[in-house]
Each structure stands twice: as structure tokens, then as C-alpha cells.
Amino acid sequence: MKRTALIASLVVASLVLASCGQEDDMGAGNPLGDRTWVLTSGSVDGVSLQPIPGHAVTLRVDDGTVAGTAACNHYGGPVFLDGSEVSIGEGEGLARTEMWCEATGVMDLEAAFLDALVRVQQVIASGGGVLLTGDGVELRFEPEPSAVDASLTGTHWTLDTLVDGDSTSTPAASAWIVFTEDGAVSGHDGCNGFGGSYDPVLGFTEIVATLIACDEAIMNQERLMLGVLSGPAHVSIAGDSLTITHPSGKALRLLAVEPDEVAALAGIEWNLEMLVDGEVATAPVAPAFLLFDADGSFTGSSGCNQISGTLDDDLGFGPTTATEMACGEEIMAQEAFVLTVLGQGADLDIDGETLTIRGPAGKNLQYRAG
């Protein structure tokens, strides 16, 4: 009797453990859980799917719907879950936005993923992640790591999406925004540089921009951007994403990225603010400026003569040329200092709306975005 009782107890215990194990693997009702999953690898009909940095493929199931990003566009549709069985987009298919991403392979990855997703039939828990499988399809996901919100100030925010009511579009030209701790905001809207103030309560005030004319598509982008950056627009951050929403229904979505310094320079009139010689700093005696193009070339004024030149591949200055007018002695001394700093080999640094150009022997020029 004791032996029989022991065997019976072991059988019951085994069944309980097996039941617990299955429930732990698959969860209750929704095996994908209340979280966002990120694609780490996959294959469709024997062809490998590999994620592309900066173009995440994600999936989240909530209340009978599936949604996420598909490398470029957002998608969504119905989902049916029954234990490990899953059906996505059945009957209705999947809806998606209609943006176009230029990066190599992104649109191909998106098309292959969305094709694979509607062929999925089963979800399997696997080593902390999940594996979605179907006829000729394997999609492996890991939980999205908890994101630390980027700082609003000091971050280079690059425009990713423009929103006008129910319509979304990708930028016609690269654009960016930088906020500083003292409440200043500056940036480039794709055509012109702009600057002004931002307050968490009052929103954006005193936003002014340069007056360069560009192609119509870029000017439309500029009008939408500057329209959003006015009055009581709402600013919110989620991870590395910044959304600025205007009461009109227009909005900007931006991503925290390492700045492309040439793009950050381009189109902005940088006005000379300080000449630094070792520990001695002096203000300019005559207005001087630099204006950079997207190809790294620049024009400007030293205070007397017009100057021009080109940045090299390492963002250093190549030879700088100047016209040959004569001005007062103090202005010519300023010009000589400027041309010395802008000599071949000088380098630059951008910090928000301040541009510092470092030349030889502790000689620096400090410019401010106009």
C-alpha cells in the first residue's frame, strides 16, 4: 500500500508540474503577453530575414489586435489566439501606413515580414523569447528592452515623420531640432535655420527663421514644421522618440540620433560672436558670418572681405579664399585672425546653436546660429 501510494503521489506531482510548465511557457489566453516583441531573426521560404539597424521590426498583441512597426511603416490588424495557435490578419488582412524609406533593404525587409506574418500559425515560447511559425515561415522575437527616455535638452532630434491630421509623410529634406537648458530652441527645417524659445507651459514662442527659398516640397515641410513649433504645442518623449503635437492636429515625430555635423551646419547663418586667442576673448569689431551648404562648401564674410572654402572628409577646413578689399586697421586685424583660424587643418564643434572653430596655437572662433 505504501509503495502504491508513493507511485500515485509521484504521478499526481508529475501531472501538476507538467501543467504548471505548460502554463508558464504559453501564458494564459495571450501567449505573447502584454509586451512589445522585437524581431531578431527569421526566414521566409528559406530566405533569411535579418533586422536592419535603426529600422526595428516589432509586434504587440492587445485585445484582439496586432500592431507594430515593419522596418519603415506602422501596421495593424486582427489576431486570433487559442493556446499556441495563432492567426493574424485573417479575413481583413493587415493595414499599414504608406511611407517610403530610402535605406537599402528596408522596404524589402518590410514586404517579406508582412507577407510572413499573415502565414503564421503557431507561437512557441523559446528561451525567454517567442518563435512564430507557419508554412515556410519562422519569425523569432525577443522582448523589447526597457527604454530610458532621452533627455529633451542637449539631444540632437532628427525629423522622422510629419503628421497632418490623419496623413503622415516622411521628410522631403533632413531637418533637426535642439533644445537647451536655458529654454532656447534651434534647428533646421530642411531649407532654413530657425531659433526661438520653448517653455513647458507656454510652448514655443518667438520662432524666427532665415529666408532662403527651396523646392516646393521642402517649403511645404517648412510650413508644417514652423506651424507646429508655435504656441502651446505639447512635447512628449518615449525612449528615443520625441513627439511635438500642435492643437491644430499637426505633429512632428523626431528621433534622437548622432548628428550629421555637415547637415547640422547647412543652411544656417552662423554669426561671429567671439574671437579667442589663448585666454583672451574679444567681440568682433565688424559683423562676420559663415554659411555652409549641404556638400560641405561654405561662403561668408570676415568682416571686410567675402570668403569661401570647403570642409574635408574629417570636418576640417581646407584652404580658404578671400576677396581683396581694404578696410580699417581694426577690421583688417579681425580678418587676419579669422583667416588664420580658418586655415587648412582647423576643426569644428557644434553644441546646440554654438559653433566653435579651433585653429592653431589656441586661436578659436565662436559663432552663433542667426
Side-chain angles (χ1 to χ4, degrees):
M1 291 294 295
K2 291 182 179 180
R3 178 179 175 82
T4 302
L6 177 60
I7 293 173
S9 298
L10 289 173
V11 170
V12 171
S14 297
L15 290 172
V16 170
L17 288 172
S19 174
C20 290
Q22 290 174 356
E23 185 174 336
D24 181 63
D25 282 346
M26 301 312 307
N30 179 0
L32 291 167
D34 184 19
R35 63 175 58 182
T36 299
W37 301 89
V38 180
L39 182 73
T40 56
S41 63
S43 64
V44 183
D45 299 327
V47 179
S48 175
L49 288 185
Q50 293 297 328
I52 297 174
H55 296 273
V57 175
T58 65
L59 177 147
R60 185 182 183 93
V61 171
D62 184 28
D63 195 25
T65 61
V66 62
T69 56
C72 181
N73 284 281
H74 297 272
Y75 70 90
V79 62
F80 173 77
L81 285 162
D82 184 8
S84 64
E85 295 182 4
V86 58
S87 174
I88 296 175
E90 185 173 357
E92 302 177 25
L94 294 174
R96 68 184 179 105
T97 56
E98 297 182 357
M99 295 185 293
W100 178 266
C101 293
E102 296 288 347
T104 302
V106 170
M107 301 311 295
D108 290 337
L109 171 61
E110 175 169 295
F113 169 72
L114 293 177
D115 173 61
L117 201 56
V118 296
R119 293 162 58 181
V120 166
Q121 298 172 330
Q122 188 175 34
V123 55
I124 304 167
S126 175
V130 291
L131 177 65
L132 275 60
T133 63
D135 184 17
V137 169
E138 286 193 355
L139 301 172
R140 189 173 297 277
F141 293 82
E142 297 291 338
E144 183 180 54
S146 299
V148 177
D149 290 347
S151 171
L152 176 65
T153 59
T155 300
H156 189 94
W157 296 103
T158 296
L159 182 64
D160 180 69
T161 306
L162 299 104
V163 180
D164 188 355
D166 295 329
S167 174
T168 62
S169 60
T170 53
S174 61
W176 54 272
I177 300 174
V178 172
F179 297 80
T180 61
E181 292 184 357
D182 63 0
V185 60
S186 62
H188 197 271
D189 59 31
C191 184
N192 286 283
F194 63 84
S197 300
Y198 169 73
D199 180 89
V201 177
L202 300 177
F204 294 88
T205 57
E206 302 176 348
I207 300 294
V208 294
T210 54
L211 299 174
I212 300 171
C214 297
D215 292 342
E216 182 62 21
I218 300 176
M219 298 309 293
N220 287 338
Q221 172 179 306
E222 174 177 278
R223 283 188 282 271
L224 193 151
M225 282 192 68
L226 296 181
V228 172
L229 300 177
S230 63
H234 175 68
V235 171
S236 63
I237 298 175
D240 63 354
S241 178
L242 168 69
T243 300
I244 305 174
T245 306
H246 192 268
S248 65
K250 295 178 171 62
L252 307 173
R253 295 173 184 159
L254 305 102
L255 298 177
V257 299
E258 291 295 324
D260 176 341
E261 291 190 297
V262 172
L265 288 166
I268 299 173
E269 185 176 289
W270 297 94
N271 296 307
L272 184 61
E273 188 176 50
M274 199 74 66
L275 301 91
V276 181
D277 189 358
E279 297 181 356
V280 178
T282 57
V285 296
F289 71 94
L290 294 174
L291 184 62
F292 294 83
D293 202 350
D295 63 1
S297 62
F298 67 89
T299 57
S301 170
S302 62
C304 178
N305 283 282
Q306 302 301 305
I307 59 177
S308 62
T310 305
L311 298 174
D312 62 27
D313 291 339
D314 296 320
L315 291 179
F317 285 80
T320 300
T321 60
T323 55
E324 297 181 355
M325 294 188 298
C327 298
E329 183 177 346
E330 289 187 339
I331 298 177
M332 296 308 294
Q334 171 182 304
E335 174 171 283
F337 190 94
V338 169
L339 293 177
T340 297
V341 175
L342 296 182
Q344 195 165 3
D347 61 12
L348 58 84
D349 178 68
I350 305 171
D351 182 9
E353 57 186 14
T354 300
L355 166 66
T356 302
I357 302 174
R358 298 184 176 87
K363 291 180 169 61
N364 300 332
L365 299 172
Q366 183 173 302
Y367 291 81
R368 192 167 185 83

